[in-house]
Amino acid sequence: MKTNFKPYYAVIFTSTQKENIEGYSDMAEKMEALAKQQSGFLGMDSARNQLGITVSYWESLEAIKNWKQQTDHLQAQLKGRQDWYSWYNVRICKVEREYEFNSK
């Protein structure tokens, strides 16, 4: 367990994509780079197979709200709903505790 652990928030974005996702990868890279520049951003994990899961980590609910309302991110959200996603779900969770295993 980490010492001096401070709770933070996780935004869990789970999605399925349509068949034609032209331009998606470029936009995903742009959004990741932009998120890293946002105040309160702590990190991100992502995996995609048939189901995509991206978890971004934030210092506060206010930081999440500001990211959701960021102009370029709003445009990406619209493009995602119109062109790339057949379904998605967003969950916002407070992380109270964490631990990890590393065999290295």
Side-chain angles (χ1 to χ4, degrees), residues 80-97:
R81 285 190 300 274
Q82 290 175 343
D83 297 337
W84 297 318
Y85 298 116
S86 56
W87 168 87
Y88 69 80
N89 179 273
V90 178
R91 295 172 181 94
I92 300 174
C93 309
K94 186 173 184 180
V95 179
E96 301 276 351
R97 185 170 64 108

Side-chain angles (χ1 to χ4, degrees), residues 3-40:
T3 57
N4 299 323
F5 179 83
K6 181 180 175 188
Y8 58 93
Y9 293 88
V11 176
I12 306 167
F13 180 80
T14 309
S15 63
T16 55
Q17 294 179 332
K18 297 179 181 177
E19 285 191 30
N20 182 4
I21 55 167
E22 184 177 337
Y24 176 82
S25 292
D26 290 339
M27 182 65 80
E29 287 178 22
K30 180 179 176 184
M31 289 300 103
E32 182 174 352
L34 188 59
K36 289 177 179 179
Q37 298 172 15
Q38 303 306 302
S39 177

